[in-house]
């Protein structure tokens, strides 16, 4: 004989509802995991979201790994096996997209060592910064965010080691190799880019130094429009380059994954991506979260890429060892905007 208390629901009636709820428990977490995986492997196909938020998402793409433990905690709270199983998708996707980035891809050899650094126009110690850069023993040094007050200090500090140099506006180039045809490149109303030909035993090398406009994250989204326009102008200049090899260094204010920079980065090879060890984050210097300082190559290859110790700047310096001898795998300087990324 079965008895029930007034107002209670028989167990047989409660079980179907509970089973139905359990079936759908954690489905939202599983859907989020699947969407995260799709975003990782297919971010280039994402639509252009308002406020250029797609560019921002691509800039922060490596940090999507932090979403996995959050989703795992939610899955545990929901006690959902489906959600826990779905977490395999973003883990595998992240490993596919970024797993190779974490390996050391450097190799022996190289003809030149190059360094690029946004020195910060408010740098309180230009001489100390120059001494830090000299310790790298580079053949070519590119500086960005020079100011009328600091540029002479860098010129004086680097003169003994780099007899060939050119600077204009906020960018400059110092070299142990002879420079010719040095000139500003008009990508903005004021000078934030330059080009010179470095004469090397392996032949001429077109060297570009560029500082693309800053970006901000605000109420209107990712304010990268001016930067993207300047990058497109720079890409046009490089597509018209006649030299067989090109080296493009500077502060891009964006990662090489950022769609807004693809007209420029899409036809060149990142030294960090091809020969670095890890992500090589450069900004902010105290806790680097994104690599916005780039060394890109066309018609040449990198054998190593790394970051240098911090200076008083808010950026870390970047360095690479470059091979200028013919390499069948190295893309030529792009003429049509296509090439290796």
């Amino acid at each position: 004989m079965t008895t029930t208390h007034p107002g209670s629901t028989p167990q047989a009636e409660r079980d179907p509802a509970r089973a139905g709820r359990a079936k759908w428990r954690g489905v939202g977490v599983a859907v989020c995991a699947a969407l995260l995986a799709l975003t990782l492997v297919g971010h280039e196909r994402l639509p252009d979201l308002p406020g250029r938020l797609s560019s921002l998402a691509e800039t922060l793409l490596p940090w999507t790994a932090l979403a996995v433990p959050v989703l795992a905690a939610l899955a545990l709270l929901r006690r959902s096996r489906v959600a826990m199983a779905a977490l395999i998708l973003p883990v595998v996707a992240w490993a596919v997209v970024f797993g190779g980035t974490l390996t050391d891809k450097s190799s022996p050899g190289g003809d030149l060592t190059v360094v690029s650094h946004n020195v910060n126009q408010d740098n309180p110690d230009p001489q100390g910064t120059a001494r830090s850069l000299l310790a790298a023993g580079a053949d070519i040094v590119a500086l960005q965010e020079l100011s009328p007050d600091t540029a002479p200090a860098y010129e004086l500090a680097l003169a003994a080691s780099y007899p060939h140099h050119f600077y204009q506006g906020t960018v400059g180039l110092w070299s142990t190799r002879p420079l010719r045809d040095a000139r500003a490149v008009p990508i903005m109303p004021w000078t934030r880019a330059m080009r010179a030909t470095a004469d090397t035993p392996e032949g001429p090398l077109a060297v570009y130094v560029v500082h693309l406009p800053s970006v901000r994250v605000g109420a209107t989204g990712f304010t990268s429009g001016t930067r993207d326009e300047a990058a497109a102008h720079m890409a046009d200049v490089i597509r018209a380059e006649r030299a067989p090899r090109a080296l493009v260094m500077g502060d891009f204010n964006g990662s090489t994954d950022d769609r807004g920079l693809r007209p420029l980065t899409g036809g060149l090879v990142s030294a960090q991506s091809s020969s670095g060890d890890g992500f090589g984050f450069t900004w902010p210097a105290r806790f680097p979260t994104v690599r916005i300082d780039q060394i890109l190559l066309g018609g040449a290859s990198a054998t190593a890429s790394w970051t240098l110790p911090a200076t008083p700047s808010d950026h870390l310096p970047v360095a690479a060892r470059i091979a200028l001898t013919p390499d069948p795998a190295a893309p030529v300087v792009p003429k049509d905007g296509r090439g290796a990324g």
Side-chain angles (χ1 to χ4, degrees):
M1 178 177 178
T2 303
T3 61
T4 60
H5 297 285
S8 66
T9 302
Q11 185 71 27
E13 293 179 22
R14 291 201 307 267
D15 284 347
R18 183 177 296 176
R21 289 194 298 269
K23 179 180 179 181
W24 291 100
R25 184 185 299 145
V27 168
V29 177
V31 170
C32 289
L35 290 175
L36 179 59
L38 289 173
T39 299
L40 278 162
V41 299
H43 66 91
E44 293 184 355
R45 297 180 179 86
L46 283 175
D48 290 325
L49 298 175
R52 290 184 165 84
L53 292 180
S54 297
S55 279
L56 178 61
E58 289 173 326
T59 298
L60 300 175
L61 209 57
W63 294 97
T64 52
L66 297 179
V68 173
V70 174
L71 292 175
L74 292 173
L76 289 172
L77 286 173
R78 301 296 295 168
R79 300 177 185 177
S80 171
R81 295 180 180 178
V82 171
M84 289 300 295
L87 290 177
I88 297 174
L89 297 174
V91 170
V92 171
W94 197 95
V96 169
V97 175
F98 294 116
T101 302
L102 303 179
T103 63
D104 184 358
K105 298 174 288 297
S106 62
S107 59
D111 303 301
L112 293 174
T113 297
V114 301
V115 164
S116 178
H117 190 26
N118 179 324
V119 294
N120 189 346
Q121 64 179 358
D122 298 320
N123 190 319
D125 186 13
Q127 293 83 1
T129 298
R131 287 193 297 271
S132 178
L133 298 177
L134 284 167
D139 300 282
I140 295 176
V141 175
L143 301 183
Q144 306 91 51
E145 214 164 290
L146 298 170
S147 71
D149 293 330
T150 62
Y154 290 108
E155 185 177 27
L156 180 62
L158 297 173
S161 298
Y162 298 97
H164 312 284
H165 71 276
F166 174 86
Y167 71 86
Q168 189 168 345
T170 64
V171 292
L173 187 65
W174 279 259
S175 174
T176 61
R177 309 297 176 95
L179 297 176
R180 54 186 172 86
D181 303 327
R183 64 178 186 273
V185 176
I187 61 171
M188 295 184 67
W190 55 95
T191 301
R192 290 173 68 112
M194 60 155 291
R195 180 211 180 275
T197 300
D199 288 323
T200 77
E202 293 76 23
L205 172 68
V207 183
Y208 290 88
V209 185
V210 59
H211 184 190
L212 295 178
S214 299
V215 298
R216 297 286 186 273
V217 181
T220 59
F222 194 45
T223 59
S224 60
T226 304
R227 182 207 64 180
D228 296 350
E229 291 176 8
H233 290 316
M234 194 75 205
D236 290 339
V237 172
I238 293 174
R239 278 195 292 270
E241 178 59 58
R242 301 177 66 88
R245 307 179 188 91
L247 168 65
V248 185
M249 300 184 286
D251 176 4
F252 284 42
N253 273 303
S255 76
T256 52
D257 288 319
D258 188 332
R259 65 183 57 197
L261 298 180
R262 282 178 200 156
L264 175 57
T265 61
L268 299 165
V269 173
S270 162
Q272 182 66 23
S273 297
S274 63
S275 64
D277 180 4
F279 291 101
F281 294 146
T282 62
W283 183 89
R286 290 186 178 181
F287 187 79
T289 58
V290 64
R291 184 181 177 92
I292 62 176
D293 301 274
Q294 311 294 348
I295 298 176
L296 306 179
L297 297 160
S301 59
T303 59
S305 177
W306 64 98
T307 57
L308 296 175
T311 72
S313 173
D314 56 341
H315 293 244
L316 292 180
V318 293
R321 197 165 59 241
I322 308 301
L324 299 177
T325 51
D327 180 358
V332 297
V333 176
K335 301 301 180 185
D336 57 2
R338 297 188 296 271

